[in-house]
Amino acid sequence: MPRTSRFEKQRRQDKPLSPPSSSGRGMDFMCHDDGLLEAGGVHIIHTFFCVDKSEEVQIQGRTARQGKKGSYCMLLCDEDLRNQFGLKEVLAGQFSPKELYKKLEAERQKFKNGQYSKIEAKLAKAEKKEAATMKYFDALLRGDAAESKRLYEEHYKLIES
Protein backbone atom coordinates (compact mmCIF):
# COMPACT_ATOMS: atom_id res chain seq x y z
CA MET A 1 0.00 0.00 0.00
CA PRO A 2 1.50 3.39 -0.92
CA ARG A 3 2.40 5.46 2.12
CA THR A 4 0.14 8.33 1.06
CA SER A 5 -2.99 6.16 1.14
CA ARG A 6 -1.82 4.47 4.35
CA PHE A 7 -2.29 7.80 6.20
CA GLU A 8 -5.22 9.11 4.16
CA LYS A 9 -7.90 7.83 6.55
CA GLN A 10 -6.10 9.24 9.58
CA ARG A 11 -6.07 12.86 8.45
CA ARG A 12 -9.34 13.74 10.08
CA GLN A 13 -10.20 15.68 13.21
CA ASP A 14 -10.82 12.56 15.30
CA LYS A 15 -7.75 10.59 14.15
CA PRO A 16 -4.24 11.45 15.41
CA LEU A 17 -1.43 10.67 13.01
CA SER A 18 1.94 9.34 14.15
CA PRO A 19 4.02 8.78 11.02
CA PRO A 20 7.62 7.52 11.09
CA SER A 21 10.58 9.84 10.56
CA SER A 22 10.71 8.77 6.90
CA SER A 23 7.52 10.79 6.33
CA GLY A 24 9.41 14.05 6.72
CA ARG A 25 10.36 14.09 3.06
CA GLY A 26 8.11 13.83 0.05
CA MET A 27 4.78 13.54 1.81
CA ASP A 28 2.27 16.31 2.43
CA PHE A 29 -0.19 15.92 5.27
CA MET A 30 -3.02 17.55 3.42
CA CYS A 31 -6.14 18.15 5.43
CA HIS A 32 -9.52 17.56 3.78
CA ASP A 33 -11.57 17.69 6.98
CA ASP A 34 -13.40 21.02 7.39
CA GLY A 35 -13.73 20.43 11.15
CA LEU A 36 -9.98 20.02 11.48
CA LEU A 37 -9.33 23.12 9.37
CA GLU A 38 -11.72 25.13 11.55
CA ALA A 39 -9.94 23.84 14.67
CA GLY A 40 -6.58 25.13 13.41
CA GLY A 41 -5.48 22.61 10.81
CA VAL A 42 -2.87 19.89 10.96
CA HIS A 43 -0.66 19.93 14.07
CA ILE A 44 2.66 18.08 13.87
CA ILE A 45 4.19 16.82 17.13
CA HIS A 46 7.84 16.07 16.40
CA THR A 47 9.00 13.40 18.89
CA PHE A 48 12.71 12.95 18.07
CA PHE A 49 15.66 15.25 17.50
CA CYS A 50 16.95 14.97 13.94
CA VAL A 51 20.64 14.47 13.31
CA ASP A 52 20.20 16.55 10.14
CA LYS A 53 18.75 20.04 10.46
CA SER A 54 17.36 19.74 6.92
CA GLU A 55 15.22 16.76 8.00
CA GLU A 56 13.86 18.80 10.89
CA VAL A 57 12.94 21.66 8.55
CA GLN A 58 11.21 19.20 6.21
CA ILE A 59 9.12 17.83 9.07
CA GLN A 60 8.19 21.35 10.19
CA GLY A 61 7.11 22.06 6.64
CA ARG A 62 4.62 19.19 6.58
CA THR A 63 2.01 21.44 8.22
CA ALA A 64 0.37 24.67 7.04
CA ARG A 65 0.84 23.63 3.44
CA GLN A 66 -0.36 25.68 0.50
CA GLY A 67 -1.92 28.44 2.59
CA LYS A 68 -3.76 26.10 4.96
CA LYS A 69 -3.72 26.52 8.74
CA GLY A 70 -1.44 24.31 10.81
CA SER A 71 1.02 24.20 13.68
CA TYR A 72 4.12 22.40 14.90
CA CYS A 73 5.79 21.56 18.18
CA MET A 74 8.67 19.40 19.33
CA LEU A 75 8.18 17.04 22.28
CA LEU A 76 11.40 15.24 23.24
CA CYS A 77 12.34 12.55 25.75
CA ASP A 78 15.27 13.52 28.00
CA GLU A 79 16.59 9.94 28.12
CA ASP A 80 16.50 9.63 24.30
CA LEU A 81 18.46 12.87 23.95
CA ARG A 82 21.09 11.75 26.45
CA ASN A 83 21.44 8.42 24.64
CA GLN A 84 21.52 10.01 21.19
CA PHE A 85 24.30 12.45 22.03
CA GLY A 86 26.00 10.66 24.94
CA LEU A 87 25.09 13.43 27.36
CA LYS A 88 25.60 12.82 31.08
CA GLU A 89 23.39 15.57 32.43
CA VAL A 90 19.62 15.57 32.79
CA LEU A 91 18.25 18.26 30.49
CA ALA A 92 14.62 18.45 31.58
CA GLY A 93 13.87 21.58 33.58
CA GLN A 94 17.44 22.88 33.40
CA PHE A 95 17.01 25.23 30.45
CA SER A 96 14.39 27.38 28.81
CA PRO A 97 13.08 25.86 25.55
CA LYS A 98 15.20 28.32 23.56
CA GLU A 99 18.37 27.54 25.57
CA LEU A 100 17.70 23.80 25.34
CA TYR A 101 17.29 23.97 21.58
CA LYS A 102 20.58 25.93 21.29
CA LYS A 103 22.31 23.28 23.39
CA LEU A 104 20.85 20.47 21.28
CA GLU A 105 21.91 22.21 18.08
CA ALA A 106 25.47 22.45 19.46
CA GLU A 107 25.37 18.73 20.32
CA ARG A 108 24.03 17.96 16.85
CA GLN A 109 26.94 19.87 15.31
CA LYS A 110 29.49 18.03 17.50
CA PHE A 111 27.94 14.74 16.45
CA LYS A 112 28.05 15.73 12.76
CA ASN A 113 31.69 16.88 13.09
CA GLY A 114 32.53 13.46 14.56
CA GLN A 115 30.82 11.81 11.60
CA TYR A 116 32.78 14.03 9.19
CA SER A 117 36.04 13.07 10.92
CA LYS A 118 35.24 9.37 10.56
CA ILE A 119 34.40 9.84 6.88
CA GLU A 120 37.64 11.77 6.28
CA ALA A 121 39.66 8.99 7.98
CA LYS A 122 37.97 6.35 5.81
CA LEU A 123 38.57 8.45 2.72
CA ALA A 124 42.29 8.82 3.53
CA LYS A 125 42.54 5.05 3.98
CA ALA A 126 40.74 4.44 0.67
CA GLU A 127 43.05 6.89 -1.12
CA LYS A 128 46.07 5.04 0.25
CA LYS A 129 44.65 1.73 -0.99
CA GLU A 130 43.90 3.24 -4.39
CA ALA A 131 47.46 4.57 -4.73
CA ALA A 132 48.83 1.10 -3.86
CA THR A 133 46.49 -0.47 -6.43
CA MET A 134 47.69 1.94 -9.12
CA LYS A 135 51.36 1.17 -8.35
CA TYR A 136 50.58 -2.55 -8.59
CA PHE A 137 48.85 -2.14 -11.98
CA ASP A 138 51.71 0.03 -13.26
CA ALA A 139 54.19 -2.72 -12.32
CA LEU A 140 52.00 -5.32 -14.06
CA LEU A 141 51.82 -3.18 -17.22
CA ARG A 142 55.62 -2.79 -17.20
CA GLY A 143 55.95 -6.57 -16.93
CA ASP A 144 57.96 -6.31 -13.69
CA ALA A 145 57.00 -9.61 -12.01
CA ALA A 146 59.12 -9.15 -8.87
CA GLU A 147 57.81 -5.62 -8.24
CA SER A 148 54.25 -6.76 -9.02
CA LYS A 149 54.53 -9.56 -6.46
CA ARG A 150 55.97 -7.21 -3.82
CA LEU A 151 53.26 -4.59 -4.46
CA TYR A 152 50.53 -7.23 -4.45
CA GLU A 153 51.65 -8.44 -1.02
CA GLU A 154 51.86 -4.83 0.21
CA HIS A 155 48.41 -4.09 -1.20
CA TYR A 156 46.94 -7.23 0.38
CA LYS A 157 48.20 -6.07 3.80
CA LEU A 158 46.46 -2.72 3.26
CA ILE A 159 43.19 -4.44 2.35
CA GLU A 160 43.31 -6.53 5.53
CA SER A 161 43.80 -3.47 7.74
Side-chain angles (χ1 to χ4, degrees), residues 29-31 33 35-45 59-73:
F29 299 128
M30 298 303 295
C31 178
D33 182 323
L36 182 57
L37 290 172
E38 288 172 18
V42 176
H43 179 73
I44 303 292
I45 301 173
I59 292 168
Q60 289 172 357
R62 299 301 92 191
T63 184
R65 306 289 289 176
Q66 301 175 355
K68 304 282 186 191
K69 291 180 183 178
S71 56
Y72 167 90
C73 74

Side-chain angles (χ1 to χ4, degrees), residues 7-156:
F7 296 124
E8 190 65 38
K9 292 178 183 174
Q10 290 180 298
R11 286 180 258 155
R12 297 191 342 248
Q13 187 173 4
D14 61 339
K15 297 284 184 186
L17 173 62
S18 181
S21 62
S22 61
S23 297
R25 292 192 182 272
M27 183 175 177
D28 288 341
F29 299 128
M30 298 303 295
C31 178
H32 304 291
D33 182 323
D34 291 336
L36 182 57
L37 290 172
E38 288 172 18
V42 176
H43 179 73
I44 303 292
I45 301 173
H46 190 170
T47 58
F48 60 94
F49 196 73
C50 300
V51 172
D52 290 311
K53 176 73 174 175
S54 63
E55 181 183 31
E56 184 179 313
V57 170
Q58 283 290 323
I59 292 168
Q60 289 172 357
R62 299 301 92 191
T63 184
R65 306 289 289 176
Q66 301 175 355
K68 304 282 186 191
K69 291 180 183 178
S71 56
Y72 167 90
C73 74
M74 191 179 281
L75 181 64
L76 304 171
C77 173
D78 195 288
E79 184 178 348
D80 289 348
L81 292 171
R82 285 185 278 130
N83 291 337
Q84 182 177 2
F85 295 114
L87 303 173
K88 304 291 185 234
E89 64 185 308
V90 174
L91 302 172
Q94 300 298 314
F95 305 96
S96 72
K98 197 175 206 174
E99 290 170 322
L100 177 58
Y101 189 78
K102 262 182 143 173
K103 182 168 182 54
L104 291 174
E105 280 203 313
E107 291 299 326
R108 172 173 35 208
Q109 191 57 51
K110 277 196 264 184
F111 178 79
K112 298 279 287 182
N113 289 344
Q115 285 183 318
Y116 296 146
S117 296
K118 288 176 187 175
I119 290 168
E120 287 172 356
K122 287 180 180 180
L123 180 59
K125 192 174 183 180
E127 288 172 340
K128 188 175 180 179
K129 288 177 182 178
E130 193 235 354
T133 300
M134 297 311 292
K135 285 181 184 179
Y136 169 69
F137 284 136
D138 287 345
L140 281 175
L141 291 171
R142 286 193 314 272
D144 188 339
E147 181 69 0
S148 295
K149 182 180 180 214
R150 186 188 71 72
L151 289 169
Y152 176 81
E153 289 169 354
E154 182 181 297
H155 184 260
Y156 193 79

